[in-house]
């Protein structure tokens, strides 16, 4: 598998155990299979960044794919709640977070890598809106498709780090890719606001999940 990692520096040797704890899937090395997205992620400011290219030998690796049929968006959200910092400032958000962690949190302890959505500012705001009972589950699912904000692959184990090899890098032009990054997120937010014009009165909201005790095998979630 060819992977790219956007950064403000050249990363020729990813180090197991380094990085930020409060990322989407916890501590790990975050990559994408899309070089253009990696360049955007490398340029949060107009300064130039780097797209580092790697080859990952996947044989023998246990890769958890959150977009496979056995999972739904709520599994992704449960992992996000555990790792990211949400402002749980209402009772419904705290109850919803507890319910999702109790009923939808996958066991990732044995995974070598995880593949799933990347919760940038837009995706994070969608998740926050669902937890606060502002949008339905269906609206959340639709929001995840807006702006093509991308998927990521995260290396989680020493074994995975042992099987990744640095190949080369490309410079990401800061002015170009920072603008593209902002445009992508702005488009997602615009389309999200437009999609809310049609209210989902009959949809499943976080309150309904709790009251109806909806579980992960419920067909309405897929």
């Amino acid at each position: 598998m060819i992977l790219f990692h956007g950064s403000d520096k050249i990363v020729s040797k990813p180090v197991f155990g380094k990085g930020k704890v409060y990322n989407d899937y916890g501590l790990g090395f975050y990559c994408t299979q899309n070089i253009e997205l990696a360049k955007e992620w490398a340029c949060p400011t107009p300064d130039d960044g780097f797209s580092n290219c790697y080859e990952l030998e996947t044989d023998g690796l246990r890769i958890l794919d959150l977009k496979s049929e056995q999972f739904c968006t709520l599994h992704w959200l449960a992992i996000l709640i555990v790792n990211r910092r949400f402002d749980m400032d209402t009772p419904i958000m705290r109850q919803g977070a507890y319910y999702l962690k109790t009923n939808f949190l996958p066991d990732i302890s044995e995974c070598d890598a995880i593949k799933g959505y990347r919760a940038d500012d837009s995706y994070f705001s969608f998740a926050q809106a669902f937890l606060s009972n502002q949008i339905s589950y269906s609206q959340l699912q639709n929001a995840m498709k807006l702006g093509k904000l991308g998927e990521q692959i995260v290396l989680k184990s020493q074994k995975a780090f042992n099987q990744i090899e640095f190949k080369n890098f490309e410079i990401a032009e800061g002015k170009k890719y920072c603008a593209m990054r902002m445009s992508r997120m702005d488009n997602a937010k615009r389309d999200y606001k437009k999609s809310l014009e049609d209210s989902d009165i009959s949809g499943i909201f976080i309150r309904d999940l709790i009251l109806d005790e909806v579980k992960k095998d419920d067909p309405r979630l897929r």
Side-chain angles (χ1 to χ4, degrees):
M1 183 185 295
I2 301 300
L3 299 176
F4 303 94
H5 172 76
S7 177
D8 59 355
K9 56 182 176 293
I10 299 171
V11 184
S12 59
K13 182 64 177 177
V15 179
F16 177 69
K18 296 288 186 179
K20 298 177 181 178
V21 176
Y22 295 109
N23 279 330
D24 297 355
Y25 306 120
L27 197 63
F29 187 61
Y30 287 72
C31 302
T32 174
Q33 291 179 280
N34 187 319
I35 187 173
E36 291 296 295
L37 279 177
K39 289 182 177 181
E40 289 183 24
W41 298 347
C43 299
T45 70
D47 296 327
D48 289 349
F50 299 92
S51 173
N52 300 275
C53 178
Y54 308 88
E55 185 176 288
L56 177 68
E57 176 53 66
T58 58
D59 284 352
L61 293 185
R62 295 159 296 186
I63 301 177
L64 186 150
D65 186 353
L66 288 170
K67 296 196 72 178
S68 63
E69 291 184 359
Q70 62 179 309
F71 298 113
C72 67
T73 306
L74 298 182
H75 291 97
W76 166 80
L77 183 52
I79 297 178
L80 202 66
I81 290 170
V82 170
N83 293 300
R84 293 286 295 271
R85 291 177 171 175
F86 283 80
D87 293 326
M88 302 291 183
D89 51 5
T90 65
I92 187 63
M93 292 188 73
R94 292 189 289 272
Q95 292 170 29
Y98 176 79
Y99 188 83
L100 291 177
K101 287 189 291 184
T102 302
N103 294 282
F104 290 90
L105 184 63
D107 181 8
I108 64 173
S109 61
E110 300 299 321
C111 294
D112 297 304
I114 301 174
K115 184 177 182 180
Y117 290 115
R118 179 179 186 270
D120 67 357
D121 291 345
S122 297
Y123 278 7
F124 192 76
S125 66
F126 303 156
Q128 189 102 0
F130 175 73
L131 270 180
S132 59
N133 214 54
Q134 296 178 37
I135 63 173
S136 70
Y137 177 68
S138 177
Q139 288 172 312
L140 174 65
Q141 285 185 302
N142 291 334
M144 301 301 289
K145 303 171 185 176
L146 300 175
K148 298 180 180 179
L149 295 172
E151 299 175 11
Q152 58 188 355
I153 296 175
V154 187
L155 307 190
K156 296 288 293 180
S157 70
Q158 182 67 69
K159 182 178 181 180
F161 277 76
N162 292 341
Q163 294 185 199
I164 191 170
E165 180 182 358
F166 177 74
K167 290 299 184 181
N168 52 55
F169 71 89
E170 290 186 17
I171 295 176
E173 184 183 340
K175 292 182 179 179
K176 173 183 177 181
Y177 284 98
C178 181
M180 290 174 63
R181 174 189 176 120
M182 296 304 297
S183 176
R184 186 186 297 272
M185 290 193 294
D186 288 344
N187 287 340
K189 291 177 180 178
R190 181 200 63 216
D191 292 343
Y192 169 66
K193 290 180 179 178
K194 185 177 180 180
S195 70
L196 294 184
E197 293 177 3
D198 297 324
S199 60
D200 187 18
I201 298 175
S202 60
I204 303 174
F205 288 75
I206 190 68
R207 184 174 180 271
D208 303 313
L209 284 175
I210 300 169
L211 293 177
D212 296 344
E213 298 184 356
V214 176
K215 297 299 191 291
K216 57 187 178 182
D217 58 350
D218 193 303
R220 294 175 294 172
L221 300 180
R222 290 169 176 80

mmCIF file of all heavy atoms in Angstrom, residues 124-163:
data_model
loop_
_atom_site.group_PDB
_atom_site.id
_atom_site.type_symbol
_atom_site.label_atom_id
_atom_site.label_comp_id
_atom_site.label_asym_id
_atom_site.label_seq_id
_atom_site.Cartn_x
_atom_site.Cartn_y
_atom_site.Cartn_z
ATOM 1 N N PHE A 124 -15.619 17.385 12.504
ATOM 2 C CA PHE A 124 -15.751 17.482 13.955
ATOM 3 C C PHE A 124 -17.003 18.269 14.328
ATOM 4 O O PHE A 124 -17.715 17.926 15.274
ATOM 5 C CB PHE A 124 -14.513 18.144 14.555
ATOM 6 C CG PHE A 124 -14.418 18.028 16.042
ATOM 7 C CD1 PHE A 124 -14.034 16.836 16.635
ATOM 8 C CD2 PHE A 124 -14.728 19.098 16.863
ATOM 9 C CE1 PHE A 124 -13.944 16.710 18.017
ATOM 10 C CE2 PHE A 124 -14.649 18.987 18.237
ATOM 11 C CZ PHE A 124 -14.257 17.787 18.817
ATOM 12 N N SER A 125 -17.297 19.325 13.572
ATOM 13 C CA SER A 125 -18.494 20.117 13.860
ATOM 14 C C SER A 125 -19.764 19.322 13.548
ATOM 15 O O SER A 125 -20.775 19.462 14.238
ATOM 16 C CB SER A 125 -18.477 21.424 13.051
ATOM 17 O OG SER A 125 -18.592 21.182 11.662
ATOM 18 N N PHE A 126 -19.713 18.459 12.526
ATOM 19 C CA PHE A 126 -20.860 17.600 12.224
ATOM 20 C C PHE A 126 -21.123 16.652 13.396
ATOM 21 O O PHE A 126 -22.266 16.453 13.818
ATOM 22 C CB PHE A 126 -20.605 16.765 10.961
ATOM 23 C CG PHE A 126 -20.275 17.574 9.726
ATOM 24 C CD1 PHE A 126 -19.560 16.998 8.693
ATOM 25 C CD2 PHE A 126 -20.677 18.893 9.603
ATOM 26 C CE1 PHE A 126 -19.260 17.722 7.550
ATOM 27 C CE2 PHE A 126 -20.371 19.628 8.468
ATOM 28 C CZ PHE A 126 -19.660 19.041 7.438
ATOM 29 N N ALA A 127 -20.048 16.056 13.903
ATOM 30 C CA ALA A 127 -20.175 15.132 15.026
ATOM 31 C C ALA A 127 -20.715 15.834 16.261
ATOM 32 O O ALA A 127 -21.558 15.297 16.984
ATOM 33 C CB ALA A 127 -18.813 14.502 15.325
ATOM 34 N N GLN A 128 -20.239 17.053 16.494
ATOM 35 C CA GLN A 128 -20.689 17.839 17.647
ATOM 36 C C GLN A 128 -22.191 18.144 17.521
ATOM 37 O O GLN A 128 -22.931 18.082 18.512
ATOM 38 C CB GLN A 128 -19.891 19.146 17.719
ATOM 39 C CG GLN A 128 -20.111 19.945 18.974
ATOM 40 C CD GLN A 128 -18.984 19.802 19.974
ATOM 41 O OE1 GLN A 128 -18.022 19.092 19.738
ATOM 42 N NE2 GLN A 128 -19.104 20.469 21.092
ATOM 43 N N ALA A 129 -22.629 18.464 16.317
ATOM 44 C CA ALA A 129 -24.044 18.781 16.091
ATOM 45 C C ALA A 129 -24.928 17.563 16.336
ATOM 46 O O ALA A 129 -26.024 17.676 16.898
ATOM 47 C CB ALA A 129 -24.241 19.300 14.669
ATOM 48 N N PHE A 130 -24.456 16.389 15.934
ATOM 49 C CA PHE A 130 -25.234 15.168 16.179
ATOM 50 C C PHE A 130 -25.320 14.877 17.672
ATOM 51 O O PHE A 130 -26.391 14.559 18.191
ATOM 52 C CB PHE A 130 -24.613 13.979 15.439
ATOM 53 C CG PHE A 130 -25.287 12.678 15.737
ATOM 54 C CD1 PHE A 130 -26.548 12.393 15.224
ATOM 55 C CD2 PHE A 130 -24.679 11.729 16.545
ATOM 56 C CE1 PHE A 130 -27.185 11.191 15.514
ATOM 57 C CE2 PHE A 130 -25.306 10.527 16.842
ATOM 58 C CZ PHE A 130 -26.561 10.253 16.315
ATOM 59 N N LEU A 131 -24.225 14.991 18.367
ATOM 60 C CA LEU A 131 -24.212 14.706 19.800
ATOM 61 C C LEU A 131 -25.107 15.658 20.583
ATOM 62 O O LEU A 131 -25.662 15.283 21.617
ATOM 63 C CB LEU A 131 -22.783 14.807 20.350
ATOM 64 C CG LEU A 131 -21.932 13.546 20.331
ATOM 65 C CD1 LEU A 131 -20.560 13.841 20.904
ATOM 66 C CD2 LEU A 131 -22.596 12.413 21.091
ATOM 67 N N SER A 132 -25.249 16.873 20.096
ATOM 68 C CA SER A 132 -26.076 17.856 20.796
ATOM 69 C C SER A 132 -27.530 17.801 20.354
ATOM 70 O O SER A 132 -28.320 18.691 20.688
ATOM 71 C CB SER A 132 -25.509 19.265 20.594
ATOM 72 O OG SER A 132 -25.460 19.598 19.220
ATOM 73 N N ASN A 133 -27.895 16.769 19.562
ATOM 74 C CA ASN A 133 -29.280 16.532 19.130
ATOM 75 C C ASN A 133 -29.777 17.563 18.121
ATOM 76 O O ASN A 133 -30.967 17.756 17.948
ATOM 77 C CB ASN A 133 -30.234 16.492 20.331
ATOM 78 C CG ASN A 133 -31.383 15.522 20.124
ATOM 79 O OD1 ASN A 133 -31.176 14.345 19.824
ATOM 80 N ND2 ASN A 133 -32.605 16.007 20.266
ATOM 81 N N GLN A 134 -28.856 18.217 17.408
ATOM 82 C CA GLN A 134 -29.236 19.231 16.423
ATOM 83 C C GLN A 134 -29.520 18.630 15.052
ATOM 84 O O GLN A 134 -30.307 19.175 14.282
ATOM 85 C CB GLN A 134 -28.124 20.276 16.292
ATOM 86 C CG GLN A 134 -27.863 21.079 17.549
ATOM 87 C CD GLN A 134 -26.722 22.049 17.362
ATOM 88 O OE1 GLN A 134 -26.549 22.636 16.302
ATOM 89 N NE2 GLN A 134 -25.910 22.216 18.386
ATOM 90 N N ILE A 135 -28.849 17.528 14.726
ATOM 91 C CA ILE A 135 -29.068 16.871 13.434
ATOM 92 C C ILE A 135 -29.321 15.387 13.674
ATOM 93 O O ILE A 135 -28.922 14.829 14.707
ATOM 94 C CB ILE A 135 -27.881 17.050 12.462
ATOM 95 C CG1 ILE A 135 -26.615 16.387 13.032
ATOM 96 C CG2 ILE A 135 -27.646 18.515 12.167
ATOM 97 C CD1 ILE A 135 -25.445 16.386 12.061
ATOM 98 N N SER A 136 -29.971 14.750 12.704
ATOM 99 C CA SER A 136 -30.287 13.326 12.815
ATOM 100 C C SER A 136 -29.107 12.476 12.355
ATOM 101 O O SER A 136 -28.131 12.981 11.780
ATOM 102 C CB SER A 136 -31.513 12.996 11.960
ATOM 103 O OG SER A 136 -31.179 13.090 10.577
ATOM 104 N N TYR A 137 -29.233 11.182 12.584
ATOM 105 C CA TYR A 137 -28.200 10.259 12.135
ATOM 106 C C TYR A 137 -28.071 10.286 10.612
ATOM 107 O O TYR A 137 -26.961 10.258 10.070
ATOM 108 C CB TYR A 137 -28.535 8.839 12.607
ATOM 109 C CG TYR A 137 -27.557 7.801 12.127
ATOM 110 C CD1 TYR A 137 -26.249 7.774 12.584
ATOM 111 C CD2 TYR A 137 -27.952 6.838 11.194
ATOM 112 C CE1 TYR A 137 -25.347 6.828 12.142
ATOM 113 C CE2 TYR A 137 -27.056 5.878 10.749
ATOM 114 C CZ TYR A 137 -25.758 5.871 11.217
ATOM 115 O OH TYR A 137 -24.872 4.930 10.766
ATOM 116 N N SER A 138 -29.202 10.358 9.922
ATOM 117 C CA SER A 138 -29.176 10.425 8.466
ATOM 118 C C SER A 138 -28.466 11.687 7.983
ATOM 119 O O SER A 138 -27.678 11.651 7.030
ATOM 120 C CB SER A 138 -30.605 10.393 7.919
ATOM 121 O OG SER A 138 -30.614 10.523 6.518
ATOM 122 N N GLN A 139 -28.725 12.807 8.627
ATOM 123 C CA GLN A 139 -28.058 14.049 8.258
ATOM 124 C C GLN A 139 -26.559 13.975 8.540
ATOM 125 O O GLN A 139 -25.751 14.520 7.784
ATOM 126 C CB GLN A 139 -28.691 15.223 9.002
ATOM 127 C CG GLN A 139 -30.088 15.580 8.501
ATOM 128 C CD GLN A 139 -30.770 16.615 9.380
ATOM 129 O OE1 GLN A 139 -30.795 16.496 10.598
ATOM 130 N NE2 GLN A 139 -31.330 17.639 8.752
ATOM 131 N N LEU A 140 -26.186 13.306 9.615
ATOM 132 C CA LEU A 140 -24.766 13.113 9.912
ATOM 133 C C LEU A 140 -24.101 12.279 8.821
ATOM 134 O O LEU A 140 -23.008 12.620 8.345
ATOM 135 C CB LEU A 140 -24.599 12.421 11.267
ATOM 136 C CG LEU A 140 -23.161 12.014 11.641
ATOM 137 C CD1 LEU A 140 -22.282 13.246 11.806
ATOM 138 C CD2 LEU A 140 -23.146 11.171 12.909
ATOM 139 N N GLN A 141 -24.751 11.196 8.416
ATOM 140 C CA GLN A 141 -24.200 10.350 7.358
ATOM 141 C C GLN A 141 -24.003 11.139 6.066
ATOM 142 O O GLN A 141 -22.978 11.017 5.399
ATOM 143 C CB GLN A 141 -25.128 9.164 7.100
ATOM 144 C CG GLN A 141 -25.065 8.078 8.162
ATOM 145 C CD GLN A 141 -25.915 6.886 7.777
ATOM 146 O OE1 GLN A 141 -27.119 7.019 7.568
ATOM 147 N NE2 GLN A 141 -25.303 5.727 7.667
ATOM 148 N N ASN A 142 -25.003 11.938 5.723
ATOM 149 C CA ASN A 142 -24.894 12.743 4.506
ATOM 150 C C ASN A 142 -23.777 13.772 4.622
ATOM 151 O O ASN A 142 -23.047 14.038 3.655
ATOM 152 C CB ASN A 142 -26.220 13.458 4.215
ATOM 153 C CG ASN A 142 -27.313 12.495 3.794
ATOM 154 O OD1 ASN A 142 -27.030 11.426 3.259
ATOM 155 N ND2 ASN A 142 -28.554 12.864 4.031
ATOM 156 N N ALA A 143 -23.631 14.353 5.813
ATOM 157 C CA ALA A 143 -22.589 15.357 6.023
ATOM 158 C C ALA A 143 -21.199 14.768 5.851
ATOM 159 O O ALA A 143 -20.277 15.451 5.381
ATOM 160 C CB ALA A 143 -22.731 15.966 7.417
ATOM 161 N N MET A 144 -21.043 13.490 6.189
ATOM 162 C CA MET A 144 -19.729 12.865 6.086
ATOM 163 C C MET A 144 -19.265 12.732 4.637
ATOM 164 O O MET A 144 -18.077 12.538 4.371
ATOM 165 C CB MET A 144 -19.762 11.476 6.725
ATOM 166 C CG MET A 144 -20.158 11.459 8.196
ATOM 167 S SD MET A 144 -19.070 12.426 9.241
ATOM 168 C CE MET A 144 -17.619 11.405 9.221
ATOM 169 N N LYS A 145 -20.194 12.841 3.716
ATOM 170 C CA LYS A 145 -19.849 12.707 2.297
ATOM 171 C C LYS A 145 -19.556 14.056 1.640
ATOM 172 O O LYS A 145 -19.143 14.106 0.485
ATOM 173 C CB LYS A 145 -20.995 12.027 1.545
ATOM 174 C CG LYS A 145 -21.366 10.658 2.101
ATOM 175 C CD LYS A 145 -22.635 10.134 1.455
ATOM 176 C CE LYS A 145 -23.091 8.823 2.092
ATOM 177 N NZ LYS A 145 -24.373 8.354 1.519
ATOM 178 N N LEU A 146 -19.778 15.141 2.368
ATOM 179 C CA LEU A 146 -19.655 16.471 1.776
ATOM 180 C C LEU A 146 -18.197 16.918 1.685
ATOM 181 O O LEU A 146 -17.407 16.664 2.581
ATOM 182 C CB LEU A 146 -20.447 17.486 2.598
ATOM 183 C CG LEU A 146 -21.955 17.220 2.722
ATOM 184 C CD1 LEU A 146 -22.590 18.231 3.664
ATOM 185 C CD2 LEU A 146 -22.618 17.288 1.354
ATOM 186 N N GLY A 147 -17.865 17.588 0.605
ATOM 187 C CA GLY A 147 -16.547 18.179 0.475
ATOM 188 C C GLY A 147 -15.426 17.207 0.206
ATOM 189 O O GLY A 147 -14.291 17.600 -0.001
ATOM 190 N N LYS A 148 -15.731 15.905 0.199
ATOM 191 C CA LYS A 148 -14.709 14.890 -0.035
ATOM 192 C C LYS A 148 -13.476 15.169 0.823
ATOM 193 O O LYS A 148 -12.359 15.297 0.336
ATOM 194 C CB LYS A 148 -14.336 14.841 -1.521
ATOM 195 C CG LYS A 148 -15.508 14.469 -2.422
ATOM 196 C CD LYS A 148 -15.113 14.428 -3.879
ATOM 197 C CE LYS A 148 -16.288 14.049 -4.765
ATOM 198 N NZ LYS A 148 -15.928 14.035 -6.213
ATOM 199 N N LEU A 149 -13.720 15.247 2.135
ATOM 200 C CA LEU A 149 -12.663 15.663 3.055
ATOM 201 C C LEU A 149 -11.636 14.577 3.326
ATOM 202 O O LEU A 149 -10.615 14.833 3.939
ATOM 203 C CB LEU A 149 -13.292 16.142 4.367
ATOM 204 C CG LEU A 149 -14.153 17.397 4.210
ATOM 205 C CD1 LEU A 149 -14.890 17.708 5.499
ATOM 206 C CD2 LEU A 149 -13.317 18.585 3.794
ATOM 207 N N GLY A 150 -11.904 13.375 2.878
ATOM 208 C CA GLY A 150 -10.855 12.385 2.865
ATOM 209 C C GLY A 150 -10.854 11.359 3.975
ATOM 210 O O GLY A 150 -11.449 11.539 5.022
ATOM 211 N N GLU A 151 -10.160 10.253 3.681
ATOM 212 C CA GLU A 151 -9.955 9.187 4.641
ATOM 213 C C GLU A 151 -8.493 9.160 5.051
ATOM 214 O O GLU A 151 -7.632 9.703 4.372
ATOM 215 C CB GLU A 151 -10.344 7.840 4.032
ATOM 216 C CG GLU A 151 -11.793 7.746 3.619
ATOM 217 C CD GLU A 151 -12.087 6.425 2.919
ATOM 218 O OE1 GLU A 151 -11.223 5.533 2.964
ATOM 219 O OE2 GLU A 151 -13.167 6.301 2.330
ATOM 220 N N GLN A 152 -8.247 8.510 6.177
ATOM 221 C CA GLN A 152 -6.873 8.390 6.633
ATOM 222 C C GLN A 152 -6.598 6.967 7.094
ATOM 223 O O GLN A 152 -7.513 6.208 7.422
ATOM 224 C CB GLN A 152 -6.603 9.360 7.779
ATOM 225 C CG GLN A 152 -7.510 9.194 8.981
ATOM 226 C CD GLN A 152 -7.343 10.301 10.001
ATOM 227 O OE1 GLN A 152 -6.470 11.152 9.860
ATOM 228 N NE2 GLN A 152 -8.167 10.314 11.011
ATOM 229 N N ILE A 153 -5.337 6.614 7.091
ATOM 230 C CA ILE A 153 -4.889 5.333 7.607
ATOM 231 C C ILE A 153 -3.874 5.625 8.704
ATOM 232 O O ILE A 153 -2.926 6.386 8.497
ATOM 233 C CB ILE A 153 -4.254 4.476 6.504
ATOM 234 C CG1 ILE A 153 -5.307 4.141 5.439
ATOM 235 C CG2 ILE A 153 -3.645 3.198 7.075
ATOM 236 C CD1 ILE A 153 -4.758 3.409 4.253
ATOM 237 N N VAL A 154 -4.096 5.033 9.869
ATOM 238 C CA VAL A 154 -3.268 5.316 11.034
ATOM 239 C C VAL A 154 -2.528 4.053 11.461
ATOM 240 O O VAL A 154 -3.156 3.028 11.739
ATOM 241 C CB VAL A 154 -4.128 5.826 12.216
ATOM 242 C CG1 VAL A 154 -3.229 6.280 13.361
ATOM 243 C CG2 VAL A 154 -5.035 6.951 11.771
ATOM 244 N N LEU A 155 -1.223 4.130 11.523
ATOM 245 C CA LEU A 155 -0.429 3.012 12.026
ATOM 246 C C LEU A 155 -0.441 3.048 13.543
ATOM 247 O O LEU A 155 -0.124 4.081 14.150
ATOM 248 C CB LEU A 155 1.005 3.095 11.507
ATOM 249 C CG LEU A 155 1.209 3.223 9.993
ATOM 250 C CD1 LEU A 155 2.675 3.042 9.648
ATOM 251 C CD2 LEU A 155 0.364 2.231 9.228
ATOM 252 N N LYS A 156 -0.794 1.930 14.165
ATOM 253 C CA LYS A 156 -0.987 1.902 15.614
ATOM 254 C C LYS A 156 0.009 1.018 16.361
ATOM 255 O O LYS A 156 0.192 1.186 17.562
ATOM 256 C CB LYS A 156 -2.402 1.414 15.935
ATOM 257 C CG LYS A 156 -3.526 2.320 15.435
ATOM 258 C CD LYS A 156 -3.610 3.602 16.248
ATOM 259 C CE LYS A 156 -4.049 3.339 17.673
ATOM 260 N NZ LYS A 156 -4.125 4.599 18.457
ATOM 261 N N SER A 157 0.624 0.047 15.688
ATOM 262 C CA SER A 157 1.461 -0.924 16.396
ATOM 263 C C SER A 157 2.915 -0.850 15.951
ATOM 264 O O SER A 157 3.238 -0.341 14.870
ATOM 265 C CB SER A 157 0.934 -2.350 16.150
ATOM 266 O OG SER A 157 1.176 -2.734 14.805
ATOM 267 N N GLN A 158 3.786 -1.401 16.780
ATOM 268 C CA GLN A 158 5.198 -1.484 16.416
ATOM 269 C C GLN A 158 5.373 -2.323 15.154
ATOM 270 O O GLN A 158 6.224 -2.022 14.303
ATOM 271 C CB GLN A 158 5.994 -2.109 17.571
ATOM 272 C CG GLN A 158 7.489 -2.199 17.304
ATOM 273 C CD GLN A 158 8.161 -0.846 17.226
ATOM 274 O OE1 GLN A 158 8.285 -0.146 18.221
ATOM 275 N NE2 GLN A 158 8.603 -0.464 16.029
ATOM 276 N N LYS A 159 4.559 -3.376 15.023
ATOM 277 C CA LYS A 159 4.638 -4.218 13.836
ATOM 278 C C LYS A 159 4.372 -3.416 12.568
ATOM 279 O O LYS A 159 5.082 -3.568 11.564
ATOM 280 C CB LYS A 159 3.635 -5.366 13.952
ATOM 281 C CG LYS A 159 3.676 -6.346 12.784
ATOM 282 C CD LYS A 159 2.697 -7.488 12.995
ATOM 283 C CE LYS A 159 2.761 -8.480 11.847
ATOM 284 N NZ LYS A 159 1.811 -9.623 12.032
ATOM 285 N N ALA A 160 3.365 -2.555 12.600
ATOM 286 C CA ALA A 160 3.050 -1.727 11.434
ATOM 287 C C ALA A 160 4.206 -0.770 11.130
ATOM 288 O O ALA A 160 4.559 -0.560 9.961
ATOM 289 C CB ALA A 160 1.763 -0.951 11.678
ATOM 290 N N PHE A 161 4.787 -0.195 12.167
ATOM 291 C CA PHE A 161 5.915 0.717 11.965
ATOM 292 C C PHE A 161 7.118 -0.020 11.374
ATOM 293 O O PHE A 161 7.890 0.558 10.599
ATOM 294 C CB PHE A 161 6.297 1.388 13.287
ATOM 295 C CG PHE A 161 5.466 2.587 13.622
ATOM 296 C CD1 PHE A 161 4.172 2.439 14.095
ATOM 297 C CD2 PHE A 161 5.967 3.876 13.466
ATOM 298 C CE1 PHE A 161 3.388 3.550 14.416
ATOM 299 C CE2 PHE A 161 5.203 4.988 13.773
ATOM 300 C CZ PHE A 161 3.905 4.830 14.250
ATOM 301 N N ASN A 162 7.267 -1.282 11.719
ATOM 302 C CA ASN A 162 8.372 -2.079 11.178
ATOM 303 C C ASN A 162 8.183 -2.377 9.696
ATOM 304 O O ASN A 162 9.153 -2.709 9.002
ATOM 305 C CB ASN A 162 8.503 -3.401 11.941
ATOM 306 C CG ASN A 162 8.974 -3.206 13.370
ATOM 307 O OD1 ASN A 162 9.538 -2.162 13.711
ATOM 308 N ND2 ASN A 162 8.749 -4.202 14.209
ATOM 309 N N GLN A 163 6.950 -2.280 9.219
ATOM 310 C CA GLN A 163 6.643 -2.669 7.838
ATOM 311 C C GLN A 163 6.410 -1.477 6.912
ATOM 312 O O GLN A 163 5.924 -1.653 5.798
ATOM 313 C CB GLN A 163 5.424 -3.609 7.822
ATOM 314 C CG GLN A 163 5.704 -4.935 8.497
ATOM 315 C CD GLN A 163 4.579 -5.946 8.407
ATOM 316 O OE1 GLN A 163 4.528 -6.899 9.176
ATOM 317 N NE2 GLN A 163 3.662 -5.783 7.461
#
